[in-house]
Amino acid sequence: MTIDRRKIILGAPALLMACSGRKVSSYEGPKVTSIMAFKGQRKLYLLNGNRAIKGYDFQLGFAPVGHKQFEGDGKTPEGTYLIDRRNPRSNYHLSVGISYPNARDVAFARAHGKSPGGDIFIHGTPKSVEGRKDWTAGCIAVLNEEVEEIYAMVGDYTPIFVKS
C-alpha cells in the first residue's frame, strides 16, 4: 500500500481536530489564495484570485483605528501578512495565526523602546462577549461556526491583506 503525501497533508488538520475534540468541516471548493480584511467595514473575504468565495463580519481590537504598533495598544495590524500557524486548542474556539509582527513592525517598536506585541489571530468568539463590539486585544474575531469554516478553508502561508 502506498501513502499519498497529498492525502496526509490535507488530512492533517482534520486529524488534529479529531484529537482536540472540536469539529471542523472539510472543504472541497476552490483554493483560498488570499484573505482581505477591511477594518472600517468589519468585513473579511476569502478569495480565489480576484473572486470572493466567502465573506464574514468581524470584531477587532478594543482600539480599532490605526495600525498596531506596540504590545497592549489594542489595535489590529494593518498591512500584508501570512497565515503562519493554527491552534486547534485555542481559548477562542479555533484560531489561525497572522504573522504579525514583521521586521518593519519590530524595528518601529524597538526604535520607540517598546515591544511590538504578537499572538495576532483570526479566531472565534466566546459566549461571554457575543454581541460586544471590538473586544479583542488586536485579533480579528468571527463567530465560532465561521472560524470553523475559515480553519478548514485557509491553508498556511496564505497571504492576508488588512486594510483600514
Side-chain angles (χ1 to χ4, degrees):
M1 178 170 134
T2 61
I3 298 175
D4 183 355
R5 189 181 245 170
R6 182 175 172 186
K7 287 180 184 174
I8 292 172
I9 291 169
L10 293 174
L15 179 60
L16 283 172
M17 292 313 302
C19 294
S20 73
R22 295 194 178 142
K23 290 178 75 176
V24 170
S25 56
S26 61
Y27 177 67
E28 305 271 335
K31 179 180 179 177
V32 174
T33 58
S34 65
I35 303 168
M36 292 289 301
F38 297 95
K39 290 171 53 174
Q41 298 170 355
R42 305 297 194 280
K43 290 297 278 188
L44 181 134
Y45 298 97
L46 306 183
L47 305 172
N48 174 269
N50 292 329
R51 186 176 66 85
I53 300 170
K54 195 83 180 197
Y56 305 93
D57 295 325
F58 63 82
Q59 299 301 313
L60 293 169
F62 59 82
V65 177
H67 174 59
K68 182 166 194 61
Q69 297 177 324
F70 310 117
E71 183 174 12
D73 66 8
K75 296 181 179 182
T76 301
E78 296 174 0
T80 302
Y81 298 94
L82 295 173
I83 298 302
D84 65 349
R85 61 202 182 280
R86 44 192 69 244
N87 183 359
R89 292 195 166 108
S90 172
N91 290 333
Y92 300 96
H93 193 62
L94 292 172
S95 59
V96 292
I98 298 173
S99 64
Y100 175 88
N102 61 28
R104 185 178 31 212
D105 298 320
V106 171
F108 181 85
R110 284 188 181 156
H112 289 84
K114 297 186 177 187
S115 166
D119 286 337
I120 302 297
F121 290 86
I122 299 170
H123 60 62
T125 301
K127 294 226 180 282
S128 61
V129 293
E130 277 183 6
R132 278 185 46 197
K133 184 173 169 90
D134 299 333
W135 56 269
T136 79
C139 296
I140 296 172
V142 297
L143 297 175
N144 291 344
E145 302 80 36
E146 295 170 336
V147 78
E148 289 176 9
E149 290 177 352
I150 293 167
Y151 196 97
M153 293 173 74
V154 174
D156 290 347
Y157 311 110
T158 300
I160 178 168
F161 304 95
V162 184
K163 308 283 186 189
S164 56

